[in-house]
Amino acid sequence: MLNTPSEIAKTFAISQFNEGYLPSVNRHTFEKIDSVSLYDEKFKDAFSAVDTLHVIIGLDSGLLANYIMERPLAKGSKYIFVELPEVLALLTIDIPQALQDDLCVTSSVRFSALIKERENNIYIVKQKFKIHRAIAVAGNYLESYCELNAQVETALDHEYFEQSIGFNQKVFVRAQLDNLAENLIPAKILKKKFVGKSCIVLGGGPSLDNSINWIRDNADNLVVIAASRVVGKLTKVNIKADIVVSVDPQSHSFDVNKEFMQLEHDALLINSYHVAPQIMGQWRGAALYTGQRLPWNNDSSEDNIKSVGPTVTNSAIEIATEMGFKQVLLCGVDFCHSQKGVTHTQGTYGASLGPNIGVMLEWVETYSGEMAETPIQLMHAIESLQASVACQKNTTYINLSQDAAKVKGVRYQACHDIKLKPITDKQRQMLKPETYQISTQEKLKCLIDTLDALTTTQNKLLQLNVLVSEALVLNNKIEKSQKKPQAIPALADKIDKIEQSINKKFISLAHLIKFYGYYEFSHFLSTKKKEEWSQQDVVNHTRIYYQAFKAISAEISALIASAVQRVDSRINEYQSISDVTALCKQWNNDKQWGRSVLWQAKQPQQYANLATIELEQIKKTQKKFYDQFIVKEFIDDTGESIVPFIDNAFKKLQILLHNKHLLGISKIVEYTFPFIATDSEVSRLYHLALSYQLMLEENTEVALDIILKIPRNLCHEAEFKQIIKLSLKLNLLELATEYLAKIIHYSDEYLPQYAHALRLSDKPQEALNIYLDYLNKYPEDILVLLKLGIFLAEMNQIDSAKSCFQNVLNLDVKNQAAMRYLQQIGG
């Protein structure tokens, strides 16, 4: 049996371009082309991205770090190299003093802490970071690099997700202010109106396909509450959603919901106060909002249905609970991938073999007892739902899918066992959009009241800003008075009184400013203990605090000014003679071209009498709206090439093999099987994964048969490695030797193994030649010198054997093996 070579050998080599590298890391990469030429082609443009945190996995034996350090760094960017500890121990990377603030080298353990540091974290928060993989890492041939890659990606994913919770407030507040003119009726009007009845919440999970017929047959006795992205699918199978729920504030939400936005707006939309303004501003039907209408004190919204997350289905379940339903059924609310690796119901956004196949995900148990993969976002959704249902004693939550992730407090029940009570006509009426029609006069009054509230808040911000400016002036005086410390207490007391005044007179605004500017205010926080603070520390932190107050106050003031302009525009829409040019300008600025369709519907007489220029403006605006639906049905990132997904899947497969994760490997087999005829790389991935699965199940012969089905011209190092491993396990030395002859072209590290195989195959001269070729390049490899010495002794070439053992002792004077062998052969 041959020994498995170690992943990282300590031996260095010098290329023909006089560049030192570790062959066990970089194989023959730098033998045919110098590193600079290679990196210029692969990384030059990528590394030039400004204001970016560049996270580079692997050092390529130090050559990649040298490449970056020898070139001007991109403006405002930082570079973090993450390398294996065993490689770092072999390298000496000297970072010039001038670059030490912008470039560092670290291990995966230290990396997790490094990205939490403020100067790096800001890039994570702003999503201004890129992951680059060194040539050695991108090659997928070392399991340890596959694992390192996964660790770095996971650390970044978790940090970004955690920070997005704390730092994404701005997008919610912006959307909230953008939606003021549309968020007119709170959803609390539906509270407790459906006590004792049943509803079904429909999400976009793949299990939705399994219950379509039952839902359609029982719709009369259910209130159908659907996530907006599945409404298009429901329409195609003749299921009408009574309530449509939408919550995502990001602008791409409109792209995902384009099919829904093209349909008749005849369902009742219940949206979060922060739903994407492109959806809210172009919705032509009735809508109720959840959460607070205004981002400061808003008495009318205090008892409104809460806007909860992190997913639209979490919000839909909260709405159903507040409406008083006794029985809340869930379908397509899976919180995990299907057993085939599918993430979405067929015919909707994202239902195919896509990016997730190459991502290391979490594992959850389903109601069927199977394990399934799920991303971190859905893990948080599960935890949120568990906390929510734990507080409800009068509501039963049932998931209709055995393949959904188990959620404590939600039980599984087959749909044919569900008992339903009829929905009354009065209750049905409450679901009809026309019930929530508001007269023009009522809308205008609400819009004018909104303008008053915005103007009042704007004035309060100006007053608040005066106090903040006073505090900054006083703080500057403290800094200048440090040579006269007796003046400091009185100045500090004045600042304290200003802070008290802010918290007394402007408590709601102060809360909003700190909420909106959470990141800016986080700089005020310090890990120092109070007793360790110097007077300068106090001055610095006070300055940061009030500067954040001033900056965020100005930012919110600008948002309010924009909201005032938008509400004025809505009032303009209701005028008997509207300023069409001003309307089109506002709609264009907001990318809410669909409002031109709304305006035409409510002002038919005015539209009929428009001047030619105004009519052209309206038609041009409407064309922009309708043009959005001519392009792809969905603007979907998963439409990218399959290549990067498959590359990542091979990395993931190596990590799963390294951890002997049989379940994870079997899932890749299951996910890829339906697609093996569509792409040769998918087929290669399937056969390699299946061979690993069979090997771990100790079905060695079939594992070998499967891996040999991959065409030889498509085989890479991983396949050759697997064939060799299985062949040796089955004592098929000839087959192992055949593939060792191929794998040595990837790396010299296989040469000793090949030599040993030739020796066992009674080819001593060939074996000796291979050993000598290897040692000619790596004369300090003690293990191979020992093996050659043993081999020569067995061949009765005693003098040559002695010479080998003596060379070992020259490298390691205390090497016990060499001493023992010399003694045995009489050295």
Side-chain angles (χ1 to χ4, degrees), residues 729-754:
K729 198 170 183 180
L730 294 167
N731 293 317
L732 299 173
L733 185 59
E734 186 177 346
L735 184 62
T737 306
E738 178 189 347
Y739 279 89
L740 276 164
K742 300 178 185 301
I743 204 170
I744 60 174
H745 298 294
Y746 286 92
S747 173
D748 289 340
E749 72 175 58
Y750 297 108
L751 286 170
Q753 200 177 6
Y754 181 39

Side-chain angles (χ1 to χ4, degrees), residues 474-488 491 535:
L474 290 168
N475 193 58
N476 287 338
K477 287 182 179 179
I478 289 175
E479 187 166 25
K480 292 175 182 177
S481 300
Q482 290 191 47
K483 292 181 181 179
K484 298 178 182 179
Q486 65 273 16
I488 292 176
L491 294 168
Q535 183 59 51

Side-chain angles (χ1 to χ4, degrees), residues 17 81 127 133 162 177 236 343 362 395 505 689 722 764 818:
F17 308 102
F81 285 92
Q127 211 174 0
R133 295 167 187 85
E162 288 175 17
L177 289 169
K236 291 172 186 174
T343 58
E362 310 289 337
T395 309
K505 295 179 182 178
Q722 176 72 346

Side-chain angles (χ1 to χ4, degrees), residues 166-171 173-174 176-177 292 294-297 456-469 472 498-499 501-503 505-524 543-560:
F167 295 113
N168 271 0
Q169 290 94 327
K170 290 188 178 183
V171 71
V173 175
R174 287 187 196 118
Q176 185 176 25
L177 289 169
Q292 272 194 202
L294 293 164
W296 47 85
N297 270 358
T456 300
T457 302
Q458 194 75 293
N459 290 332
K460 284 183 177 179
L461 279 172
L462 291 172
Q463 296 168 36
L464 174 59
N465 199 44
V466 170
L467 292 176
V468 170
S469 296
L472 284 168
I498 287 174
E499 186 64 20
S501 182
I502 288 173
N503 291 329
K505 295 179 182 178
F506 306 101
I507 185 167
S508 296
L509 274 181
H511 176 76
L512 171 62
I513 288 167
K514 290 174 183 177
F515 173 79
Y516 184 86
Y518 183 79
Y519 182 76
E520 286 80 358
F521 279 94
S522 71
H523 296 176
F524 166 74
R543 185 190 305 111
I544 290 169
Y545 177 76
Y546 285 109
Q547 282 178 343
F549 239 120
K550 197 174 184 70
I552 298 305
S553 177
E555 202 169 326
I556 291 174
S557 182
L559 292 176
I560 291 174

Side-chain angles (χ1 to χ4, degrees), residues 169-186:
Q169 290 94 327
K170 290 188 178 183
V171 71
F172 293 99
V173 175
R174 287 187 196 118
Q176 185 176 25
L177 289 169
D178 284 354
N179 291 333
L180 279 180
E182 280 67 62
N183 285 339
L184 301 179
I185 307 176

Side-chain angles (χ1 to χ4, degrees), residues 150 154 157-158 336-337 341 343 355-364 372-377 379 652 656 661 671:
T154 300
D157 285 345
H158 280 258
C336 65
H337 295 185
T343 58
N356 285 325
I357 192 172
V359 179
M360 292 300 293
L361 302 171
E362 310 289 337
W363 289 89
V364 291
E373 288 184 291
T374 196
I376 185 174
Q377 293 89 339
M379 284 295 290
K652 177 178 177 178
L656 293 171
H661 200 305
Y671 298 166

